[in-house]
Amino acid sequence: MLHRKVRKAVVPVAGLGTRVLPGTKVTPKELLNVVDRPILSYVVEEARAAGIEHIIFVTGRFKGAIEDYFDHQVELEAQLKAKGKTDILEAMLAELPRPGEMSFVRQMQPLGLGHAVWCARDLIGDEPFAVILPDMVMDAETPALKQAIDAHRQTGSNIIVVEAVPEDQTHQYGVVALETREGRLNRMTGMVEKPAKGTAPSNLIVSGRYILQPEIFDLLETQDRGAGGEIQLTDSMFRLMQTQSFHALEYDGVTYDCGDKIGLLRANVALALKRDDLKDAAREALSPLFS
Ligand code: G1P
């Protein structure tokens, strides 16, 4: 099989962030801070480290701040420069895209994740691509998306990054079925979105990084509504599985669901404790809270 490089990533950012309201009333949830930079900053860093050359954000109404975040803030930059705060200025400038590295497309109705990904079809064209769900911040020595791309190269398959959760939580996610479970990378035989309690085919959930072939778009175009009345990516992937292979990758790393109150709190604490410039102060400030 001819392996084409995975160059583009779709990042759906149209969701409402209801689990962390009212904090997301005027701030897109993707711009909530984890330590000192927004969730999206971690995701873009991961994509770049995995060799992604073009990021396509699927946005919605009231998400304009995301586009502004990835542009110059001329007055602020001038002030930081005048005050000699070059470290902060350099950190800010390093996040900015190369001209043309980012595109923004609107999902004009909240019809579901499958519909959001489909909105990016013209910008992806006819090549394999990544999908990154930005709520899921993945902390890993080898970036999670790079692990997925390596698995795609190795197998030629569509890849879904998965992780184990307690069985009483599987109904909140997409869940995969495996042929056999040996090691971290296994051929899939099925998947289901939000299975009813007690019916999940495994405890491995679809956790937010995918490598997909472009044939998914034709299936998304005709996809009926599924769980929650939404056009589900999982349902079209299941149909694609009838003609193409899929592998599930249990990646090596830790996931923080930053769309959730406790997940966001965990990410802030854990990632501050990993930072050389913050870990001592963070430990000193936090440990009395547990004594
Ligand atoms: C989406 C996907 C689901 C996946 C989940 C991970 O669901 O449809 O398959 O397991 O993200 O967070 P949502 O969280 O949008 O309901």
Side-chain angles (χ1 to χ4, degrees):
M1 196 183 205
L2 174 69
H3 295 315
R4 286 171 295 173
K5 188 169 186 284
V6 179
R7 301 186 308 126
K8 300 180 184 176
V10 177
V11 183
V13 290
L16 296 177
T18 41
R19 290 181 294 164
V20 280
L21 272 169
T24 47
K25 187 174 156 189
V26 293
T27 304
K29 66 173 169 177
E30 298 80 7
L31 293 183
L32 295 179
N33 255 15
V34 172
V35 190
D36 55 2
R37 56 198 177 105
I39 291 168
L40 264 191
S41 160
Y42 293 85
V43 165
V44 166
E45 181 179 58
E46 179 189 332
R48 285 174 172 158
I52 295 295
E53 296 163 11
H54 192 143
I55 299 176
I56 297 150
F57 292 101
V58 182
T59 70
R61 281 189 288 284
F62 310 114
K63 296 281 184 160
I66 293 175
E67 203 164 338
D68 291 340
Y69 182 79
F70 290 108
D71 194 1
H72 286 286
Q73 226 277 38
V74 178
E75 295 81 2
L76 184 58
E77 289 167 11
Q79 278 186 30
L80 290 171
K81 197 170 174 196
K83 290 184 175 164
K85 300 198 170 175
T86 44
D87 287 1
I88 304 174
L89 179 60
E90 275 164 23
M92 275 174 52
L93 295 178
E95 292 220 305
L96 294 180
R98 283 180 292 105
E101 184 189 356
M102 291 180 180
S103 299
F104 297 82
V105 60
R106 280 275 181 125
Q107 183 189 28
M108 294 161 71
Q109 290 175 281
L111 295 179
L113 177 61
H115 179 260
V117 171
W118 178 76
C119 288
R121 66 198 177 285
D122 284 355
L123 291 166
I124 296 292
D126 186 27
E127 56 185 280
F129 65 100
V131 176
I132 303 179
L133 305 188
D135 281 4
M136 299 303 216
V137 170
M138 295 188 176
D139 183 32
E141 211 156 291
T142 302
L145 192 65
K146 178 159 191 321
Q147 295 181 41
I149 290 174
D150 289 345
H152 169 70
R153 256 194 226 129
Q154 186 186 326
T155 58
S157 253
N158 295 275
I159 302 291
I160 300 185
V161 171
V162 299
E163 65 193 273
V165 301
E167 264 156 38
D168 62 353
Q169 291 177 18
T170 50
H171 67 283
Q172 302 167 24
Y173 299 97
V175 182
V176 305
L178 304 181
E179 204 170 72
T180 52
R181 189 171 172 190
E182 282 168 29
R184 290 181 176 276
L185 184 60
N186 290 289
R187 186 178 289 276
M188 288 172 52
T189 54
M191 65 186 111
V192 56
E193 184 67 23
K194 314 239 162 52
K197 281 190 179 167
T199 67
S202 75
N203 68 337
L204 294 175
I205 61 145
V206 174
S207 70
R209 305 291 183 270
Y210 314 68
I211 308 296
L212 297 172
Q213 295 291 351
E215 288 75 21
I216 193 77
F217 290 120
D218 287 343
L219 300 169
L220 286 169
E221 183 141 2
T222 58
Q223 185 61 53
D224 291 332
R225 291 175 187 239
E230 296 188 345
I231 297 172
Q232 295 290 354
L233 181 59
T234 303
D235 294 342
S236 286
M237 293 193 299
F238 181 71
R239 288 165 64 212
L240 187 58
M241 193 188 278
Q242 311 315 309
T243 55
Q244 293 188 6
S245 69
F246 273 74
H247 278 72
L249 171 69
E250 288 177 70
Y251 89 106
D252 188 10
V254 182
T255 303
Y256 302 100
D257 180 356
C258 292
D260 170 77
K261 297 181 213 356
I262 299 298
L264 187 61
L265 182 63
R266 263 186 83 221
N268 270 287
V269 173
L271 297 181
L273 288 171
K274 281 189 79 175
R275 286 238 318 238
D276 285 343
D277 61 332
L278 291 176
K279 62 184 176 199
D280 293 340
R283 196 171 290 278
E284 200 180 313
L286 292 171
S287 54
L289 301 179
F290 298 97
S291 58

